[in-house]
């Protein structure tokens, strides 16, 4: 039995439930169960956490897109009932966004490239890999941004300690990570 308190697992269960129940008799039940389950998650009735597995943070958006496509396919079928349409409409707002900024892998590939640069010391490479890169692949959380900001402050403290090109790439990564986690755009909107 999968651990349904993990967001990615919960989304996978919904996806499998919808894809696996295409017979019209089972389809309404699958849609209703999916709508209820996602509503409970979104309202906090079922707390959801990250499981620490090594997936890119954009995996949730990718699964959400697959669910959305399946819902749209069901919606357009000739035998879809009004009750099924209502259940689909209840599911849509509960799905994570799959806008381009949530499916982008730019901050993730950029930090990997930064960690493999030839113009920074080995110990800094290891620190970037273990405090930012690996953790970012497990879970895109505010801790990643805090660690990135702390490292940015450290590498900019002494202007000539690290190469200008490295510092500039790290600043770009920091900006992209803020946008990825929506903090950059939220700050700009305020």
């Amino acid at each position: 039995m999968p651990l349904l308190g993990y967001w990615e697992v919960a989304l996978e269960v919904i996806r499998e439930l919808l894809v696996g129940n295409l017979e019209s008799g089972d389809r309404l039940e699958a849609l209703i169960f999916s709508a209820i389950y996602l509503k409970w998650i979104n309202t906090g009735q079922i707390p959801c956490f990250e499981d620490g597995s090594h997936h890119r943070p954009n995996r949730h958006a990718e699964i959400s897109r697959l669910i959305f496509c399946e819902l749209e396919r069901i919606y357009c079928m000739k035998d879809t009932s009004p009750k099924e349409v209502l259940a689909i409409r209840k599911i849509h707002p509960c799905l994570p966004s799959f806008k381009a900024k949530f499916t982008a892998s730019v901050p993730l590939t950029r930090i990997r490239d930064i960690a493999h640069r030839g113009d920074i010391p080995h110990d800094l490479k290891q620190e970037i890999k273990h405090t930012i890169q690996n953790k970012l692949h497990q879970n895109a959380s505010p801790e990643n941004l805090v660690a990135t900001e702390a490292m940015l402050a450290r590498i900019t403290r002494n202007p000539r300690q690290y190469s200008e090109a490295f510092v500039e790439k790290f600043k770009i990564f920091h900006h992209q990570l803020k946008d990825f986690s929506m903090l950059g755009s939220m700050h700009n909107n305020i």
Side-chain angles (χ1 to χ4, degrees):
M1 175 76 180
L3 300 172
L4 299 182
Y6 294 129
W7 190 218
E8 182 179 348
V9 174
L11 288 171
E12 282 290 355
V13 167
I14 296 296
R15 187 187 63 76
E16 290 173 15
L17 183 65
L18 294 175
V19 171
N21 289 288
L22 298 180
E23 279 40 304
S24 59
D26 296 337
R27 193 170 60 210
L28 177 60
E29 190 173 273
L31 289 166
I32 290 171
F33 287 157
S34 298
I36 292 168
Y37 183 54
L38 285 170
K39 186 67 168 180
W40 285 347
I41 290 172
N42 282 344
T43 59
Q45 297 301 310
I46 298 175
C48 253
F49 308 95
E50 297 298 331
D51 62 0
S53 61
H54 198 72
H55 292 284
R56 293 182 180 263
N58 56 2
R59 179 72 181 134
H60 303 104
E62 292 168 356
I63 299 169
S64 180
R65 183 189 345 245
L66 293 171
I67 293 170
F68 181 85
C69 289
E70 184 62 23
L71 291 172
E72 290 301 297
R73 196 183 69 64
I74 294 169
Y75 184 86
C76 293
M77 294 173 77
K78 291 182 184 199
D79 66 338
T80 301
S81 72
K83 289 180 181 179
E84 290 170 330
V85 170
L86 178 62
I88 289 169
R89 289 183 179 161
K90 296 291 185 183
I91 294 170
H92 277 150
C94 295
L95 292 173
S97 176
F98 51 86
K99 291 173 83 173
K101 67 181 177 181
F102 298 114
T103 57
S105 59
V106 172
L108 307 172
T109 54
R110 184 173 303 279
I111 193 60
R112 183 197 64 222
D113 294 344
I114 289 171
H116 290 93
R117 291 179 64 92
D119 61 347
I120 59 174
H122 179 74
D123 60 329
L124 183 58
K125 288 181 185 184
Q126 291 302 305
E127 186 178 350
I128 290 170
K129 183 176 180 179
H130 295 292
T131 61
I132 300 171
Q133 181 184 2
N134 290 349
K135 291 183 179 186
L136 190 58
H137 275 139
Q138 290 174 353
N139 176 17
S141 69
E143 289 87 20
N144 303 123
L145 198 53
V146 169
T148 302
E149 287 172 350
M151 186 166 291
L152 181 61
R154 196 175 92 216
I155 66 174
T156 56
R157 192 173 305 129
N158 299 325
R160 290 184 176 76
Q161 184 175 3
Y162 301 105
S163 78
E164 207 173 292
F166 162 68
V167 173
E168 187 57 34
K169 292 290 185 189
F170 200 88
K171 285 179 180 178
I172 292 169
F173 163 72
H174 177 253
H175 179 73
Q176 288 175 336
L177 185 60
K178 279 174 50 176
D179 282 346
F180 185 80
S181 60
M182 296 183 358
L183 293 174
S185 33
M186 182 172 61
H187 178 66
N188 292 339
N189 290 337
I190 293 175

